[in-house]
Amino acid sequence: MSASIKRDLVEKLVGRAASDGDGVKLKRVFGGTGAERFDPFLMLDEFGSDEAADYVGGFPSHPHRGFETVTYMLEGRMLHEDHLGNRGLLEPGGVQWMTAGRGIIHSEMPQQASGRMRGFQLWVNLPAAEKMQPASYQDLPACAISEQHLEGGGLARVIAGSLDIDGQTVTGPISGKTTQALYVDLHLAADEACELPIAANLNALLYTYDGEIDVFGREQGTTLPAGHLGRLGEGNSISIQAGPAGAKVLLIGGKPLREPIVQYGPFVMNSREEIEQAMRDFRSGQLAS
Ligand code: MN
């Protein structure tokens, strides 16, 4: 067995307020210019509010081409409908993994007029060879997510990929992606520490959404409070410890595609010509046909 090399936190950033869809207030953790360093991930948004005015507008009909959108609901309900007649209700603890492929035109609308809405949308790039595949979905209710208790009292919810937890391999319902996407929601008890192996070939990110954690690399610990994303450096494990109030953290990993990224809004391709084609296809109604 090779020695464990703990990954250092090499970059820490805080989400910034943004608005998308029909006036939905959200926190853009990363995305847009400079997102290459998160390869194969393109964007992470956190949406969360007690104020209906911040989310009721939802995300009316809009297109996507060339990547995958992953919506993870913590609280609230969101209805998804697309131009092909697919329809799915996202409920707390559930995930929708949508492969836009060559194209989808869909809406994502809140199914409540009051109360709390909270969740995440992660954009995962597709390799050039898979960008023009037909659109597909995996709708995963909360009970389909692989849950494993940690020795220290916490819980891991494995949405995608595989993770060795206390000597046991836990595999999420989404696996076999070219990007080797790993997506885990970790709930840590007060002061709970855990060390998890992460394949050395994956780019790895941690996003604390409740409480705070310390990340222990080869040198010293770095605190990652709620609302902060940490990008991890080279190594084959992560070592974290929750603060006195516990912590909830997304662990996101993926194999970099190392291909050119050309993005225009909801289209993510490899060249300008392909973006122009996507726009022509959208205007002529051919995006997803
Ligand atoms: Mn969308």
Side-chain angles (χ1 to χ4, degrees):
M1 209 169 104
S2 58
S4 161
I5 302 167
K6 292 176 184 175
R7 290 176 181 243
D8 287 310
L9 200 150
V10 295
E11 181 183 354
K12 183 166 146 180
L13 65 152
V14 64
R16 58 189 192 278
S19 175
D20 211 337
D22 186 7
V24 177
K25 288 190 184 146
L26 50 82
K27 205 184 288 177
R28 180 136 305 156
V29 183
F30 69 85
T33 310
E36 285 81 0
R37 65 196 193 279
F38 304 109
D39 187 11
F41 304 103
L42 299 162
M43 190 192 84
L44 176 65
D45 281 347
E46 176 177 1
F47 49 91
S49 181
D50 297 318
E51 298 296 325
D54 291 344
Y55 61 74
V56 282
F59 302 87
S61 182
H62 61 277
H64 293 286
R65 172 178 279 184
F67 60 102
E68 302 184 285
T69 69
V70 182
T71 308
Y72 177 28
M73 292 299 287
L74 297 178
E75 293 172 75
R77 291 145 59 88
M78 185 101 84
L79 180 68
H80 167 269
E81 289 179 285
D82 74 17
H83 73 291
L84 299 170
N86 295 304
R87 195 180 154 90
L89 183 64
L90 268 148
E91 296 188 282
V95 172
Q96 183 201 59
W97 197 290
M98 183 191 77
T99 305
R102 61 169 287 121
I104 196 75
I105 299 164
H106 73 166
S107 62
E108 298 151 285
M109 301 300 289
Q111 297 300 296
Q112 62 195 49
S114 65
R116 190 159 169 79
M117 168 78 73
R118 193 172 191 199
F120 305 95
Q121 190 167 87
L122 175 70
W123 286 13
V124 189
N125 206 357
L126 285 168
E130 297 174 16
K131 282 184 181 291
M132 295 299 276
Q133 67 183 289
S136 62
Y137 300 88
Q138 282 171 279
D139 279 317
L140 307 163
C143 63
I145 309 301
S146 306
E147 293 192 345
Q148 172 83 17
H149 287 279
L150 306 174
E151 279 173 356
L155 178 75
R157 305 191 78 229
V158 183
I159 296 164
S162 290
L163 191 63
D164 285 333
I165 300 170
D166 304 324
Q168 196 174 333
T169 302
V170 182
T171 301
I174 303 287
S175 65
K177 296 282 178 187
T178 301
T179 51
Q180 299 176 20
L182 174 70
Y183 194 3
V184 182
D185 182 12
L186 293 168
H187 300 181
L188 301 179
D191 301 314
E192 181 176 4
C194 75
E195 186 168 346
L196 299 166
I198 302 292
N201 67 328
L202 304 186
N203 221 341
L205 311 169
L206 289 167
Y207 180 66
T208 307
Y209 66 91
D210 273 331
E212 64 174 41
I213 56 169
D214 283 322
V215 182
F216 297 97
R218 275 155 279 195
E219 289 160 19
Q220 61 203 37
T222 307
T223 301
L224 199 63
H228 288 69
L229 179 95
R231 187 167 61 85
L232 300 169
E234 290 176 7
N236 57 16
S237 76
I238 61 154
S239 176
I240 57 177
Q241 180 169 15
K248 291 186 178 174
V249 186
L250 302 180
L251 166 60
I252 297 168
K255 184 167 127 309
L257 296 171
R258 304 191 201 287
E259 293 177 345
I261 299 169
V262 182
Q263 175 170 2
Y264 182 79
F267 307 131
V268 182
M269 303 300 290
N270 301 109
S271 69
R272 272 198 57 170
E273 292 69 31
E274 289 169 336
I275 290 292
E276 284 161 11
Q277 185 65 51
M279 290 163 70
R280 278 196 299 275
D281 288 350
F282 180 52
R283 280 194 296 262
S284 65
Q286 305 290 304
L287 186 80
S289 60

